[in-house]
């Protein structure tokens, strides 16, 4: 094989390996995340989550579109706030960013009843059936806990007001923190249909 042909062969092999590696990464964005959890998120939102990322501090994110850096930072800020208040309550379990998975789904609405920007997801009314929140068998939720081991929840995609993402992350995360640290308070605050809301921890 001539030197020229050898160089072409090595370059072609490099390109082929790169394509195969990229194809594998794109085909398995949920690697390391339980398939049952991904299926649960799909069931709740009706979305696929082809884009995988990690926040700068290590939270796993699966999303309907490629998460922007500022969205990933907003997620980290929400967890930082959550962990700070958890420590004030002497909670010690599930205080690592890598303990969590955040799914980002398409919003089913962008504005609330007062016209305020409010990307929310429609979920089954369940215990909220017949309440003021019932929209005909479903309610609009800013987020929803999907699992406790690992800690996972879904939020709606935002294009602005990213501080709202931080708030939703903190609020959904409160349920998971309480589940692992204070089961009594967890049970008392799990069902918002009985009254009360977020923030639970002050």
């Amino acid at each position: 094989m001539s030197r020229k042909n050898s160089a072409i062969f090595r370059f072609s092999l490099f390109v082929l390996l790169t394509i195969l590696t990229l194809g594998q990464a794109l085909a398995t964005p949920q690697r390391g995340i339980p398939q049952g959890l991904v299926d649960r998120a799909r069931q709740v939102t009706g979305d696929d989550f082809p884009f995988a990322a990690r926040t700068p501090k290590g939270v796993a994110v699966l999303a309907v579109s490629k998460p922007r850096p500022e969205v990933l930072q907003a997620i980290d800020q929400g967890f930082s706030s959550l962990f700070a208040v958890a420590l004030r309550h002497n909670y010690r379990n599930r205080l690592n960013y890598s303990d969590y998975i955040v799914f980002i789904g398409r919003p089913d609405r962008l504005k609330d009843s007062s016209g305020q920007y409010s990307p929310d997801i429609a979920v089954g009314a369940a215990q909220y059936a017949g309440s003021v929140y019932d929209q005909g068998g479903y309610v609009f939720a800013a987020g929803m806990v999907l699992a406790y081991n690992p800690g996972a929840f879904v939020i709606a995609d935002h294009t602005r007001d990213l501080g709202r993402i931080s708030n939703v992350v903190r609020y959904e995360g409160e349920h998971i923190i309480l589940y692992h640290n204070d089961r009594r308070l967890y049970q008392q605050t799990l069902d918002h249909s009985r009254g009360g809301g977020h923030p639970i921890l002050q």
Side-chain angles (χ1 to χ4, degrees):
M1 184 182 293
S2 69
R3 182 179 301 173
K4 180 178 179 181
N5 286 340
S6 178
I8 292 172
F9 175 77
R10 288 196 304 272
F11 177 74
S12 299
L13 184 60
F14 170 76
V15 170
L16 178 61
L17 289 173
T18 300
I19 290 172
L20 288 174
T21 301
L22 180 59
Q24 184 179 22
L26 291 175
T28 57
Q30 295 93 5
R31 185 172 47 187
I33 296 175
Q35 184 60 44
L37 180 56
V38 178
D39 292 342
R40 171 66 174 145
R42 288 172 174 162
Q43 178 186 19
V44 168
T45 69
D47 297 319
D48 287 320
F49 300 91
F51 292 90
R54 282 203 178 266
T55 69
K57 294 188 176 181
V59 179
V61 177
L62 294 181
V64 292
S65 59
K66 185 177 180 181
R68 293 170 291 144
E70 54 268 36
V71 169
L72 299 177
Q73 291 169 0
I75 291 171
D76 273 346
Q77 289 169 4
F79 278 111
S80 294
S81 174
L82 172 65
F83 297 160
V85 73
L87 285 171
R88 289 201 297 271
H89 287 264
N90 294 316
Y91 298 153
R92 294 291 181 268
N93 297 322
R94 294 303 196 277
L95 301 185
N96 295 311
Y97 296 87
S98 59
D99 291 334
Y100 294 87
I101 302 165
V102 175
F103 290 84
I104 302 177
R106 287 187 180 84
D108 292 305
R109 73 171 182 186
L110 293 176
K111 294 181 179 180
D112 63 18
S113 58
S114 65
Q116 297 298 309
Y117 182 67
S118 182
D120 297 315
I121 295 170
V123 297
Q127 68 269 27
Y128 297 95
S131 73
V132 295
Y133 304 108
D134 191 345
Q135 302 296 309
Y138 63 90
V139 298
F140 287 111
M144 178 178 172
V145 173
L146 300 173
Y148 294 93
N149 287 300
F153 52 85
V154 60
I155 65 173
D157 199 8
H158 287 58
T159 58
R160 55 189 173 90
D161 191 12
L162 301 186
R164 187 174 186 271
I165 289 180
S166 299
N167 287 337
V168 175
V169 165
R170 179 196 160 168
Y171 297 160
E172 295 307 313
E174 283 185 319
H175 294 295
I176 298 171
I177 287 287
L178 288 173
Y179 178 87
H180 289 286
N181 291 275
D182 189 339
R183 199 62 66 88
R184 181 188 60 81
L185 185 55
Y186 164 78
Q187 292 291 346
Q188 290 176 353
T189 57
L190 175 62
D191 186 349
H192 297 309
S193 67
R194 300 179 218 166
H198 295 285
I200 298 167
L201 301 174
Q202 302 290 342

